[in-house]
Amino acid sequence: MEYLLHILILICIYIILAVSLNLLVGYTGILSIAHAAFYGVGAYVAALMALRLETPFLLNLVLALIAAGAFGAIVGIPSLRLRDDYFIIATFAFQIIIFSILNNLVSFTGGPLGLPGIPQLEIFGLTISTHIEFLILACVLAALVYRTASRIVKSPFGRLLKAIREDEVFTQAAGRNVASAKVKVFIISASLASIAGVIYATYITYIDPTSFTLMESIFIISIVIIGGAANLKGSILGAAFLVALPELLRFIGLPSSVAANVRQILYGAMLVIMMMWRPQGFLGEYAFGKNSGDRSQKAEVRTNRGNDA
Amino acid sequence: MMLKVSNLNKNFDGVVALKDFSLELKEKEIIGLIGPNGAGKTTFFNVLSGFVKPESGKIIYRGKDITNSGSHNIVFEGISRTFQDLRLIRQILVIENILLSFNHTNGENIYNIMFNQRSWKKIEEQDKQKAFELLEYAGIKDKANDLANDLSYGQQKLLSLICCLAADAKLLLLDEPIAGINPEMREKILNIISELPLKGKSAIIIEHDMDFIERICSRVIFMDMGEKISEGTPSEVRNDPKVIEAYLE
């Protein structure tokens, strides 16, 4: 039973990560591979505050949101000026930098040993310690994140994001500030991701840098793409599917050394299969990377502008 | 004078796109911009709409210098444009394309979305109403909830014109509004454009179809190699020896 609850809590955490990344990848069409870094920022801020200053959970949560949002602005403002591929490289760099800081700033983050013994969680005098209580907390926060994201995508701002994804030049010609909208959604996405980190840190009570690597970012991207880009329900389905799938492997009775590798093979194979036969994912309406027609048009304008430099 | 453009210069890697190009436009006037391919017509639009910065020259729109304004600010000043290669947001609905063109951005403010829905929900409803009216005016109301991608080429051109109307611009820059579309749609678009002055709007139109230009433009400017070669009524320009020479070359 506890095992099942544990899986459900993990699914909630990944729902938060996938939904927040979907705003960026699915709706705005910009691929970031730094999502695990923001997840890590959330986890470390919450853990450090709880350990060193013994601040209450809700304050930690707010501080994590602000910290991740600030990092989002620092990374987003300069790098969102870059176009597609270069932006991905910029987020890649950020991902590596955050990992290196967590791994090497031993006096502060504990380095590779991580931060053990994160104190028990209390909200308004209520102690949250059992699995079921954690599941409720995770569900509530996941629901809040989902609600926030769905409000955003259904609003005129969501329309603006889709417009940017489809054609930046038209969006500019419609009188919209494309650069500022991109920065805003990047900051929102980063902030929301940090919530997952806060839950993870307080739930597991121990964090170390290996939970927030590039592989983790790619796993989150897989959830978004397999579940369906530009569809928030797809992210829920994708998170449930990709988190539960490897757990099923345990019951086949593979030795754990093999199972770990099979897991990676499975993710890779899933991504390839989906890209070939269903690039829009289970529920998505937008096939990531498939709007080659628009891309070439964009490229044209870019060369025009390039000449002008 | 509504628009006063003086001495614009622009080069692309040594190729002259605009050379001392000047132009004046009165309120409620429609003028045609003609010339061979590569004459700098579209570059002029790009400069005027803020997508490309000129090397020198000045653009005064309604007494305000907009030479170095960003493209999104220029739209809010009241200048809206269409694109020759037909830019529409194909994977979103027809109606959403129009809604995006309205100059209301309350609903794009994150704070308003999360905590103050009242500040934009009503405007959004009114915009929707107006968008349907515009679609009805254009005769494609039944397509409102289709993807823009599913419209025919002519309907897409029509839609991009409608988007300019939604922006409530006072000056429309139309880049080849009727190139490559059927005669029926051509009449429809011609009607909409010819009604612009009645609505207090002006337009500059790039078009190769001289018959179309003669029917709606009171004044025509002929450009070649980035320069203004000739200016006057359509028949004056058509019979200008310099124009004939440029076309024969």
Side-chain angles (χ1 to χ4, degrees), chain A residues 37-236:
Chain A
F38 296 115
Y39 174 37
V41 167
Y44 270 86
V45 168
L48 285 169
M49 292 303 289
L51 278 170
R52 303 273 155 87
L53 302 172
E54 295 173 3
T55 46
F57 175 76
L58 288 178
L59 178 66
N60 298 344
L61 185 65
V62 172
L63 287 173
L65 279 172
I66 294 171
F71 273 112
I74 293 168
V75 181
I77 290 169
S79 61
L80 281 165
R81 288 164 194 274
L82 304 171
R83 54 181 141 93
D84 315 328
D85 309 353
Y86 298 100
F87 175 74
I88 297 174
I89 293 170
T91 58
F92 177 60
F94 177 68
Q95 172 69 48
I96 302 293
I97 290 168
I98 287 290
F99 179 80
S100 303
I101 291 174
L102 298 181
N103 211 27
N104 294 305
L105 201 61
V106 179
S107 60
F108 197 57
T109 64
L113 294 176
L115 293 170
I118 298 162
Q120 235 179 21
L121 205 162
E122 261 184 47
I123 301 176
F124 302 126
L126 231 77
T127 317
I128 292 184
S129 54
T130 64
H131 277 75
I132 190 85
E133 286 163 350
F134 256 107
L135 180 60
I136 293 168
L137 176 77
C139 277
V140 168
L141 288 173
L144 272 175
V145 169
Y146 183 86
R147 177 108 176 86
T148 307
S150 92
R151 262 208 182 180
I152 288 173
V153 302
K154 281 181 191 152
S155 73
F157 186 68
R159 183 168 64 220
L160 173 61
L161 296 182
K162 279 195 272 178
I164 291 172
R165 179 187 79 196
E166 296 296 329
D167 192 334
E168 283 186 25
V169 175
F170 177 89
T171 314
Q172 251 173 311
R176 300 302 193 264
N177 190 338
V178 170
S180 118
K182 278 182 170 179
V183 170
K184 279 183 203 159
V185 74
F186 193 72
I187 292 173
I188 294 170
S189 169
S191 293
L192 293 179
S194 73
I195 298 177
V198 177
I199 304 175
Y200 181 81
T202 41
Y203 168 60
I204 305 285
T205 70
Y206 164 76
I207 50 172
D208 73 287
T210 58
S211 304
F212 311 107
T213 56
L214 179 66
M215 279 313 294
E216 192 68 13
S217 283
I218 291 173
F219 179 61
I220 304 165
I221 293 169
S222 310
I223 294 177
V224 173
I225 291 178
I226 290 173
N231 185 314
L232 295 179
K233 291 198 183 75
S235 293
I236 296 180

Side-chain angles (χ1 to χ4, degrees), chain B residues 79-165:
Chain B
I79 301 178
S80 181
R81 70 172 292 185
T82 67
F83 291 89
Q84 187 180 351
D85 55 359
L86 229 176
R87 293 185 168 277
L88 283 172
I89 303 184
R90 300 204 169 91
Q91 293 306 320
I92 69 176
L93 305 179
V94 168
I95 184 106
E96 288 182 307
N97 268 286
I98 302 177
L99 288 172
L100 191 76
S101 302
F102 284 109
N103 282 340
H104 300 139
T105 52
N106 263 353
E108 286 164 16
N109 181 310
I110 304 297
Y111 175 82
N112 289 345
I113 292 166
M114 298 316 295
F115 308 111
N116 192 3
Q117 299 232 358
R118 222 190 294 166
S119 66
W120 56 272
K121 277 270 161 89
K122 205 174 163 192
I123 299 172
E124 178 81 0
E125 281 309 309
Q126 286 167 350
D127 281 353
K128 251 182 207 161
Q129 199 66 37
K130 273 189 246 166
F132 274 112
E133 280 164 22
L134 282 169
L135 282 171
E136 186 150 37
Y137 174 58
I140 49 171
K141 197 182 175 187
D142 53 322
K143 307 278 188 208
N145 289 312
D146 291 0
L147 289 180
N149 202 27
D150 297 339
L151 296 181
S152 72
Y153 184 70
Q155 286 168 333
Q156 290 187 2
K157 286 234 156 182
L158 187 60
L159 178 59
S160 65
L161 179 59
I162 296 298
C163 286
C164 274
L165 293 179

Side-chain angles (χ1 to χ4, degrees), chain A residues 8 23-24 35 67 73 94 117 146 193 201 218 225 237 247 268:
Chain A
L8 288 174
L23 288 176
L24 213 56
H35 217 55
F94 177 68
Y146 183 86
I218 291 173
I225 291 178
L237 185 68
E247 300 301 329

